């Protein structure tokens, strides 16, 4: 792995995505650090948009002859640069890729790993889709979300009117309720009057030991605390989504049965009620961070997705 890049240097060079010139030295160091040096793409961009008081970092890649676009949403505590495997798969499928760091994550602004209300995520997603239109990203636009990214897409499909450009929706280990949700809510109510955040507890949420070591010890963009504000926003979002009317959409869902992060049995049952015959792949050995599972597990779900998107 290359030497760590300097996040503060990169942040100082970010410009509006629409006005981006060729990648700077700091941009290339960032891409190289996260393993994008060998990525086969016709061209790419890295820049920002302003929305809802946030400065949101976006990245885009185009293969030589794109036939669609994958809009990629990462999970909680994550950032876009951790999704190289998904981006490589998408480019291999002939998709352009547009991905962004959520507020408080990665290269985007905002209190680290926090949000005031999940409605803010929808505001950002709408702005990103507007940017996709401005960039004339090839249609259809397939939506892809891991964990919290999946929750944002579930919200978008159930409570909004998806844009006509939207094609398939892919949900990896989607968040509705986290594991031990009742205990989490009790802890939140007890802690809220006294603390604004608690130290993050890292978990072995992938069978890929190298990825786990990187996240815990070498990634300079990893948040180190869990803000109680984010837990509060989640606690208001869950009942709203569970009461939302059903959708005629049929998302593709991939779920690991060794997932110790979300309450996947409850979530799958709920999603089967909310959506019209969702197409589900269950992987008995897979843990939560499917985007960075072992190569064998990634191949199984990428083959599943490729069959449906070919």
């Amino acid at each position: 792995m290359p030497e760590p890049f300097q996040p503060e240097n990169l942040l100082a060079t970010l410009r509006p995505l629409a006005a981006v010139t060729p990648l700077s030295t700091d941009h290339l160091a960032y891409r190289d650090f996260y393993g994008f040096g060998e990525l086969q793409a016709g061209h790419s961009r890295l820049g920002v948009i302003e929305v809802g008081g946030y400065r949101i970092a976006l990245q885009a890649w185009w293969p030589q002859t794109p036939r669609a676009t994958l809009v990629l949403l990462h999970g909680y505590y994550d950032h876009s640069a951790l999704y190289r495997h998904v981006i490589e798969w998408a480019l291999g499928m002939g998709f352009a890729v547009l991905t962004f760091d959520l507020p408080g994550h990665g290269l985007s602004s905002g209190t680290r790993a926090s949000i005031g209300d999940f409605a803010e995520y929808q505001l950002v997603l709408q702005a990103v889709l507007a940017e996709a239109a401005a960039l004339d990203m090839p249609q259809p636009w397939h939506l892809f979300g891991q964990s919290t990214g999946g929750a944002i897409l579930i919200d978008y499909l159930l409570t909004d009117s998806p844009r006509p450009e939207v094609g398939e929706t892919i949900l990896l280990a989607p968040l509705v309720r986290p594991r031990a949700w009742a205990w989490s809510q009790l802890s939140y109510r007890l802690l809220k009057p006294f603390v604004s955040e608690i130290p993050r507890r890292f978990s072995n949420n992938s069978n890929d030991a190298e990825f786990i070591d990187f996240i815990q010890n070498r990634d300079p963009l990893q948040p180190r605390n869990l803000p109680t504000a984010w837990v509060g926003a989640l606690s208001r979002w869950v009942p709203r989504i569970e009461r939302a009317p059903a959708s005629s959409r049929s998302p593709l869902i991939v779920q690991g049965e060794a997932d110790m992060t979300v309450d996947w049995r409850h979530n799958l049952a709920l999603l089967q009620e909310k959506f019209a015959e969702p197409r589900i792949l269950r992987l008995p050995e897979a843990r939560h961070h499917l985007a960075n599972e072992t190569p064998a597990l990634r191949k199984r779900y990428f083959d599943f997705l490729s069959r449906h998107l070919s």
Side-chain angles (χ1 to χ4, degrees), residues 15 127 195 242:
R15 299 292 180 265
V195 298
E242 292 184 340

Side-chain angles (χ1 to χ4, degrees), residues 97-116:
V97 178
L98 180 63
T99 183
F100 62 101
D101 291 349
L102 295 175
H105 291 75
L107 302 176
S108 291
S109 69
T111 304
R112 294 296 87 186
S114 192
I115 202 75

